């Protein structure tokens, strides 16, 4: 069974969280995208941050994306329907949560290491996503952690 990686700030290229209590870690391969990617551009739109990860197992696809145009340092960044942190969660259940359709997003992304010299970016996160008017469960993303060296 999968388990969450430890919370580190060493560029361990790790990612994990719980989605409604189930472990989510990058797994599988869906051409041509790697299953865990981070784009950092401090000079684009006041600090572009885009973390993308997915699982592709037994033909089932789950994608989690966390992004902002307002991150260029360490700190605590609130998630919301109008930013500055947005969350997309897509899976094959028919319930998808994207910045365009999700009625309610709460939570936060905490950047604990933002090192442009060594290109190491680490942090933790937790989010709650709810879509009004659809028969989709509230999604609780908890105990999130990432540590990526670019």
């Amino acid at each position: 069974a999968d388990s969450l990686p430890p919370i580190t700030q060493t560029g361990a290229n790790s990612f994990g969280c719980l989605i409604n209590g189930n472990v989510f870690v990058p797994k599988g391969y869906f051409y041509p995208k790697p299953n865990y990617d981070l784009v950092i551009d401090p000079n684009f739109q006041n600090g572009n941050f885009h973390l993308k990860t997915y699982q592709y197992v037994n033909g089932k696809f789950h994608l989690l994306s966390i992004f902002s145009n307002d991150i260029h340092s360490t700190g605590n960044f609130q998630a919301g329907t109008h930013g500055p942190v947005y969350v997309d969660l897509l899976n094959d259940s028919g319930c998808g949560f994207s910045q365009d359709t999700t009625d309610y997003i709460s939570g936060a992304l905490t950047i604990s290491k933002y090192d442009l010299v060594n290109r190491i970016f680490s942090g933790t996160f937790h989010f709650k996503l709810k879509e009004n008017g659809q028969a989709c469960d509230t999604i609780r993303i908890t105990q999130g952690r990432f540590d990526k060296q670019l």
Side-chain angles (χ1 to χ4, degrees):
D2 291 321
S3 59
L4 292 177
I7 295 174
T8 56
Q9 296 182 18
T10 59
N13 292 317
S14 58
F15 177 94
C17 64
L18 299 179
I19 299 179
N20 288 356
N22 297 311
V23 173
F24 180 97
V25 292
K27 185 186 279 191
Y29 183 68
F30 191 79
Y31 180 82
K33 303 287 187 187
N35 63 18
Y36 176 32
D37 192 26
L38 178 62
V39 174
I40 300 282
D41 187 344
N43 302 311
F44 182 67
Q45 295 183 336
N46 196 40
N48 183 254
F49 173 97
H50 195 169
L51 189 155
K52 297 171 277 193
T53 184
Y54 68 80
Q55 284 187 351
Y56 185 65
V57 180
N58 298 326
K60 293 187 181 292
F61 191 76
H62 289 76
L63 169 76
L64 176 62
S65 178
I66 303 167
F67 52 102
S68 177
N69 288 325
D70 293 295
I71 295 177
H72 43 76
S73 65
T74 58
N76 191 47
F77 303 91
Q78 295 300 309
T81 305
H82 302 291
V85 174
Y86 299 94
V87 181
D88 283 354
L89 179 69
L90 304 172
N91 60 37
D92 49 20
S93 72
C95 290
F97 296 84
S98 78
Q99 66 167 340
D100 302 322
T101 61
T102 299
D103 294 308
Y104 178 78
I105 303 172
S106 67
L109 169 67
T110 300
I111 305 294
S112 52
K113 186 170 191 128
Y114 190 97
D115 183 343
L116 290 168
V117 175
N118 297 301
R119 302 188 59 72
I120 295 174
F121 304 90
S122 308
T124 57
F125 57 89
H126 62 92
F127 305 111
K128 187 160 78 171
L129 313 175
K130 176 71 178 118
E131 247 174 60
N132 293 327
Q134 293 197 18
C136 296
D137 290 338
T138 297
I139 301 292
R140 289 175 178 81
I141 299 172
T142 56
Q143 296 185 42
R145 71 275 317 267
F146 70 95
D147 183 13
K148 185 77 169 162
Q149 183 160 26
L150 304 182

